[in-house]
Amino acid sequence: MAQETFDRQICPELEPLSDDTKVQIQKQNKMNHGCADCYCPDFIPKRYIFSFVGLLASTLAISLNTNLSLAIVSMVDRSNESIIQVKSSNECLSDEISPFDLVEEKQAGHHGEFHWSPETEGLALGAVYYGQLVGFLPGGRLAELYGGKRTLIAFLLLASICTTLVPMAARLSVYSFIACRFLVGVGTAPVIPVLFYLISRWVPSSERSFNASFILAGYGVGAFLSFLTAGVLCASDFLGGWPSVFYIGGLCGFTWCLLCYVFVYETPKDHPTITAKEFEFISKNLGPTEQKQIERIPWKSILLSVPFWSLAIGYFGQFWILGFYSTTQALYMGTILNLDSITNGELSCLPPLTRGLFACVCGYPADWALKRGYITVGFIRKGATVINSVFSCAGFIAIILAGCDPTLNTIFFTVGGLLGDFITFGVCMAGVDIAPNLSGTVSGILSFVGVIPFFVIPALVGWSTKYERSMAQWRYVYYCTIGVVVITTIIYVVFGTSDPQPWGTDDEEKSEEEQNIEEKQNIEEIKERTF
């Protein structure tokens, strides 16, 4: 079946395969691959199974990244901490609470197991993002060379092993602890690039908005589950309290690797039980570009490409929005609104969940309109980007005007970031559009760009509130964010495109002689099978 599509591209004069031949090929695939997928009913489309396993992958990745955020509160002894000499905002304190009550509560502290300084804590929390900077590009390229399934399993297995070792590493030394968290970041980094690479192989272009949203909704669901379960586990005596967060996280990672090994295949043609109808539907709707492996990365063409740079700038702006709503809500509501940690945690876990679910709801209508020709792929990519930017900027302004009301602030944080996961069928899928045969590498580069705001935003907040934590100082952060979002969005909308670029579709460094030899070999293989 796969070969039939390929045969028609190389030799259009060949007759299509008969139904009996298709059935025999399918049986042969089953014999070659064994019965690893026999647990999956045939009536479930295999691309849906891939999407579900992809959802679990993104859920796992963000959970392993964020589980330390709450666990470290129980790990570190804060009983002897001195009060930092920073002018704190009292503008949102209740009349029944005096600043002296807050000082006494802080001095009571928390008796944890480790005596780490705030600087060490910050380094430990940021280590996972430094690891991601290292892992993005290699992961995407390895997927193109050795397969997305193998790459995803190998990297997430590394992250799961290191997560399980975190308690032991922390008790050994702070340096081994930070090294483990760094490797967790390396292991989770390629998840987005590799998933988009596999989407380009498995999901028809008319279904990509919904499927991409569904798969990456795991980042919202994972953050929600991570905050929810980590707090409960740390407060319990199960497996020692805080270590159980990492033991259970590692166990979930091992379970996912097994699921991926059993149920996911590299391409539809490799799947032993895919139906002829589904295979034909996928093959005919993957896009106008023939799938092939690009052996050498055309760095010069990429670096001189206006569509690539405009997309990278748009990517930076959209991930600035995501990073802002992901990292600052709890800090703002804790330091400005002065909410207690339990209330803060409950309110902070809602926006990421609603963000992921809403993207799935909106992804299906986008696919429906695209399938019927009402809109173009480029319109979806740019439209999703513009709408997300408008909503987020409106959210920033509303938060400034909300004052000290925690309910209003939660609503505006939720509504402003509600369309944050529109990036999945916005700028993220645009990388697959412009470089369908180099999607792993391009998505890796763009993911590297996208993680930069997660460093810059905390630094910006820290610099703005270094001497005074107040709403007035936070307004500078919001104004700066609005400026970044507006400028990057305009650049992407004006100069961006979703048309496949020559450097992302063909191996342009191959000589003409090599291409002719390869084409002749393909034709000879087709003739041998045909006759």
Side-chain angles (χ1 to χ4, degrees):
M1 291 174 292
Q3 196 60 49
E4 177 187 0
T5 305
F6 180 73
D7 293 350
R8 288 182 181 178
Q9 292 170 344
I10 302 298
C11 294
E13 69 273 8
L14 291 177
E15 291 294 326
L17 297 177
S18 66
D19 292 337
D20 291 338
T21 306
K22 290 180 180 179
V23 171
Q24 289 195 6
I25 292 175
Q26 198 168 16
K27 288 181 178 179
Q28 185 63 39
N29 279 343
K30 276 192 177 184
M31 293 175 62
N32 292 339
H33 292 83
C35 291
D37 199 61
C38 294
Y39 302 103
C40 252
D42 287 341
F43 63 83
I44 301 178
K46 307 311 175 193
R47 64 189 186 280
Y48 294 168
I49 295 172
F50 157 72
S51 295
F52 180 71
V53 177
L55 167 71
L56 296 181
S58 60
T59 301
L60 174 67
I62 194 65
S63 298
L64 298 183
N65 283 348
T66 59
N67 54 14
L68 182 63
S69 299
L70 284 179
I72 201 169
V73 177
S74 299
M75 294 170 65
V76 178
D77 183 2
R78 307 176 194 281
S79 58
N80 295 321
E81 281 188 356
S82 60
I83 301 174
I84 300 174
Q85 299 300 316
V86 177
K87 183 180 178 182
S88 298
S89 171
N90 296 327
E91 52 197 326
C92 291
L93 286 178
S94 170
D95 293 335
E96 293 89 15
I97 302 177
S98 72
F100 299 102
D101 294 329
L102 293 178
V103 171
E104 290 175 4
E105 181 180 351
K106 179 160 186 173
Q107 286 179 325
H110 172 81
H111 296 276
E113 187 174 342
F114 304 102
H115 300 276
W116 293 339
S117 66
E119 291 79 8
T120 301
E121 288 183 52
L123 183 59
L125 289 169
V128 70
Y129 297 109
Y130 289 105
Q132 287 190 317
L133 288 175
V134 174
F136 277 131
L137 185 56
R141 184 56 179 163
L142 287 172
E144 294 167 351
L145 296 177
Y146 302 107
K149 174 182 175 179
R150 293 178 182 176
T151 303
L152 207 53
I153 290 176
F155 275 85
L156 282 179
L157 184 61
L158 170 66
S160 302
I161 293 172
C162 292
T163 297
T164 307
L165 294 176
V166 161
M168 184 178 70
R171 287 163 179 156
L172 183 64
S173 76
V174 67
Y175 301 107
S176 59
F177 171 70
I178 292 174
C180 266
R181 289 296 296 173
F182 177 86
L183 291 175
V184 169
V186 173
T188 57
V191 170
I192 288 182
V194 175
L195 283 176
F196 277 109
Y197 169 82
L198 289 172
I199 286 173
S200 70
R201 265 64 186 161
W202 268 99
V203 181
S205 57
S206 59
E207 296 181 355
R208 285 180 181 171
S209 295
F210 172 77
N211 277 274
S213 302
F214 177 78
I215 290 172
L216 294 194
Y219 279 89
V221 174
F224 172 80
L225 293 176
S226 178
F227 284 117
L228 206 59
T229 58
V232 173
L233 291 172
C234 287
S236 71
D237 294 326
F238 180 66
L239 295 177
W242 66 263
S244 63
V245 175
F246 303 101
Y247 294 144
I248 292 178
L251 179 61
C252 291
F254 298 140
T255 304
W256 180 89
C257 290
L258 180 62
L259 286 175
C260 184
Y261 178 78
V262 172
F263 294 113
V264 174
Y265 289 83
E266 190 63 34
T267 62
K269 75 174 182 179
D270 296 325
H271 206 295
T273 60
I274 191 170
T275 63
K277 181 179 179 181
E278 183 183 9
F279 180 84
E280 186 177 7
F281 174 69
I282 295 174
S283 299
K284 288 183 177 180
N285 294 279
L286 284 178
T289 303
E290 177 191 353
Q291 292 185 3
K292 60 177 68 173
Q293 185 183 92
I294 297 180
E295 297 179 359
R296 300 164 187 164
I297 302 176
W299 290 112
K300 182 179 178 180
S301 298
I302 293 175
L303 295 176
L304 294 177
S305 173
V306 173
F308 170 78
W309 281 109
S310 60
L311 176 57
I313 292 171
Y315 211 92
F316 180 86
Q318 294 299 290
F319 270 80
W320 184 288
I321 297 172
L322 186 62
F324 191 95
Y325 282 111
S326 297
T327 61
T328 62
Q329 180 183 0
L331 180 63
Y332 181 78
M333 299 182 78
T335 59
I336 302 301
L337 305 188
N338 295 298
L339 299 181
D340 62 88
S341 58
I342 295 177
T343 304
N344 194 3
E346 290 174 348
L347 295 178
S348 297
C349 73
L350 292 177
L353 180 64
T354 56
R355 186 173 66 235
L357 296 178
F358 193 75
C360 293
V361 172
C362 295
Y364 182 79
D367 283 334
W368 178 84
L370 178 64
K371 190 179 295 185
R372 282 158 179 76
Y374 299 146
I375 55 178
T376 63
V377 172
F379 182 85
I380 291 178
R381 306 290 180 252
K382 293 183 178 181
T385 302
V386 171
I387 294 174
N388 183 33
S389 299
V390 170
F391 260 73
S392 64
C393 291
F396 297 141
I397 296 172
I399 291 167
I400 293 174
L401 300 176
C404 296
D405 190 323
T407 303
L408 281 179
N409 274 276
T410 301
I411 291 173
F412 293 142
F413 266 109
T414 302
V415 173
L418 187 63
L419 307 185
D421 278 11
F422 271 32
I423 60 173
T424 54
F425 53 88
V427 292
C428 288
M429 285 306 302
V432 177
D433 296 334
I434 66 171
N437 290 330
L438 205 61
S439 56
T441 298
V442 171
S443 295
I445 299 172
L446 293 175
S447 296
F448 181 94
V449 173
V451 82
I452 294 176
F454 287 81
F455 293 98
V456 176
I457 291 171
L460 175 64
V461 172
W463 178 79
S464 300
T465 61
K466 183 176 182 180
Y467 300 107
E468 178 183 358
R469 292 194 183 111
S470 66
M471 287 187 178
Q473 296 303 115
W474 271 86
R475 288 192 184 101
Y476 294 114
V477 178
Y478 290 123
Y479 295 148
C480 179
T481 296
I482 291 172
V484 170
V485 172
V486 170
I487 292 172
T488 56
T489 301
I490 290 174
I491 291 175
Y492 173 63
V493 170
V494 173
F495 298 103
T497 182
S498 291
D499 297 332
Q501 302 300 300
W503 50 264
T505 57
D506 295 297
D507 197 341
E508 55 184 37
E509 293 190 17
K510 274 189 177 181
S511 65
E512 184 178 349
E513 183 179 353
E514 289 176 326
Q515 293 179 6
N516 291 334
I517 292 174
E518 185 177 337
E519 185 174 346
K520 288 179 181 179
Q521 289 175 345
N522 291 331
I523 294 174
E524 290 298 327
E525 289 178 6
I526 293 171
K527 288 181 179 179
E528 288 177 5
R529 283 194 306 272
T530 306
F531 301 106

